[in-house]
Amino acid sequence: MIASVHGTVLAVRLDAAVVEVGGVGMLVQATPATLAGLRVGQPARLFTSLVVREDSLTLFGFADDDERDVFESVQTVSGVGPRLALAMLAVHTPDGLRRAVADEDLAALVRVPGIGRKGAQRIVLELKDRLGAPSPAGGAGAVPLPSDHREQVVEALVGLGWPARAAQDAVAAVLDGTSDPVGADEVPGVLRAALRSLGSARA
């Protein structure tokens, strides 16, 4: 198993990054919040999980080992694959997922694109004793963006499959119409709040 990668960031896309390790460019799938902390040309370390299929080897990267461990744990639920697990971590922090499961908060789980009520019930049932308790502080766990432009939040939402207009409206609603630039430490929170808003509207 490839537990982590450390090297220079060659490219950052909406759903993945390319990190050069020992002269080899490794494509790593990741959440928008994790990708937001990467800069092209700068060194980065990502904790990784390698998913092996008959026709592919896909590497998923995370800001810390806790996020990776939760990613792997939620895939033990029947019907939850790596893409859906990644979407869960795009909408919720690891502690957010722990809290949703512990509180049997189905509404929080169905905000994730691809999870319906029955799927949420199955997740709660099968993960109840596997994720552990959330930390007392709640743990934001987000990686800050290097840019202060709200447009990047919109692009991240579009990359997750939401229409551009809906993404723009959700971000505007979260920011309450302010025209001020989003601070680097605020953007991951804005992204997750917008995802929750979109999930609620869809439900």
Side-chain angles (χ1 to χ4, degrees), residues 145-157:
L145 279 175
S147 171
D148 62 1
H149 298 297
R150 66 171 71 190
E151 308 310 331
Q152 292 194 346
V153 183
V154 174
E155 289 176 7
L157 292 169

Side-chain angles (χ1 to χ4, degrees), residues 55-177:
D55 58 349
S56 65
L57 297 173
T58 307
L59 198 60
F60 293 85
F62 307 92
D64 55 47
D65 55 355
D66 182 43
E67 195 172 41
R68 178 191 61 198
D69 292 346
V70 169
F71 170 79
E72 294 176 345
S73 294
V74 298
Q75 289 180 73
T76 62
V77 177
S78 56
V80 177
R83 297 294 177 185
L84 185 54
L86 197 66
M88 292 169 71
L89 287 166
V91 176
H92 299 290
T93 63
D95 266 351
L97 283 176
R98 290 188 181 99
R99 191 170 296 103
V101 170
D103 296 344
E104 300 185 14
D105 187 352
L106 302 184
L109 293 172
V110 299
R111 292 185 187 121
V112 178
I115 296 180
R117 187 170 180 81
K118 288 185 178 179
Q121 291 173 330
R122 185 167 59 248
I123 289 169
V124 167
L125 179 66
E126 297 187 27
L127 288 182
K128 194 72 171 179
D129 301 317
R130 297 184 188 177
L131 289 184
S135 64
V143 178
L145 279 175
S147 171
D148 62 1
H149 298 297
R150 66 171 71 190
E151 308 310 331
Q152 292 194 346
V153 183
V154 174
E155 289 176 7
L157 292 169
V158 172
L160 287 171
W162 297 102
R165 184 64 188 175
Q168 291 167 355
D169 290 346
V171 172
V174 169
L175 296 175
D176 199 25

Side-chain angles (χ1 to χ4, degrees), residues 4-87:
S4 67
V5 296
H6 180 231
T8 302
V9 178
L10 300 182
V12 179
R13 305 190 326 212
L14 290 175
D15 60 349
V18 178
V19 181
E20 184 177 28
V21 181
V24 177
M26 306 191 76
L27 181 67
V28 184
Q29 308 288 322
T31 66
T34 295
L35 293 169
L38 305 179
R39 274 187 165 175
V40 173
Q42 297 297 315
R45 179 183 296 279
L46 294 173
F47 292 84
T48 56
S49 178
L50 180 64
V51 176
V52 180
R53 295 287 186 264
E54 288 185 4
D55 58 349
S56 65
L57 297 173
T58 307
L59 198 60
F60 293 85
F62 307 92
D64 55 47
D65 55 355
D66 182 43
E67 195 172 41
R68 178 191 61 198
D69 292 346
V70 169
F71 170 79
E72 294 176 345
S73 294
V74 298
Q75 289 180 73
T76 62
V77 177
S78 56
V80 177
R83 297 294 177 185
L84 185 54
L86 197 66

